[in-house]
Amino acid sequence: MSKPLIPSRTLLSTFSRSLRPENSASISPKCRQFMSISQGPSRQQCPRTASKSGSRAFSSSSPRTYKTVEEQRSRYRSGPFSWKAGVLFLASGAGLIFYFRYEKARMERKRIAEAAKGVGKPKVGGEFELVDHNGKPFTEADMKGKYALVYFGFSHCPDICPEELDKMASMIDLVRSSPQNNPPLLPVFITCDPARDTPAVLKAYLSEFHPDLIGLTGTWDQIKHVCKKYRVYFSTPPDVKKGEDYLVDHSIYFYLMDPDGDFVEAIGRQHSPEAAARVIREHIGDWQKKN
């Protein structure tokens, strides 16, 4: 006579959980029949039907574990970002802002320089023949290969010219003290009063402001010609007698010319020496990158 099989305590516990109301809908008819008897030919497992959500009732996979509780807490406290990611994000943003600001300023300088060369625009600068403060011939070709800073004035000017020449001297020193001084800066002073500003007068006058200033003079016709080339207002009367008093009026701008002899930008009285030197350095820097 065979010995009756008695269900184990584990199996009965499984059946007890299956009899809960939330699990009763997922029990198959075969399991219901098995639960009605206390004996059977062999031990069986209750097959369960798939739930509506598509998940299995019993899963063999174990949940993700962490080595320590502190490690789990640290993960949820830091979230998907870390301080390193934040620093990298801020550095990248600052770099992009700097780059776009630099490119915007460079394109603006390029626009100003190209506008002076555009079709239909009056050309500033050109050919001329004058004499420097040492009595030597000087033409526009002597400015080629350098950035030239050209200013028009006269030695008998009571206030504006001395102020602007002081500013010009500061601009020269600021630009030359910078690494961006290649091509070098050539400062040129052209008189609007050729009757009184002889080479000797210009040499003595300009030496009071900066030793590198080059003074240019010539005949009345030559000065009028170069003023017309640079679009400078010129009101000096011709055929002035020695000792005669007269008024001289002229435009107050610094004309920045590039190494090709083309006009780049006009620097006015609103520019401080520092601002003017920065504009010149930026144009020189653009030239260095282009060439």
Side-chain angles (χ1 to χ4, degrees), residues 138-157:
F138 191 100
T139 68
E140 80 287 345
D142 293 300
M143 299 193 303
K144 295 290 183 70
K146 312 176 186 68
Y147 266 90
L149 188 64
V150 182
Y151 181 76
F152 289 80
F154 60 106
S155 62
H156 287 73
C157 181

Side-chain angles (χ1 to χ4, degrees), residues 70-106:
E70 289 76 9
E71 182 181 351
Q72 184 176 4
R73 289 177 179 175
S74 175
R75 178 181 180 275
Y76 285 103
R77 184 167 55 249
S78 62
F81 298 102
S82 64
W83 68 269
K84 293 181 179 179
V87 171
L88 181 61
F89 176 79
L90 292 176
S92 301
L96 287 174
I97 291 174
F98 175 80
Y99 173 76
F100 285 122
R101 286 183 177 178
Y102 172 79
E103 281 298 307
K104 181 180 179 181
R106 186 183 68 82

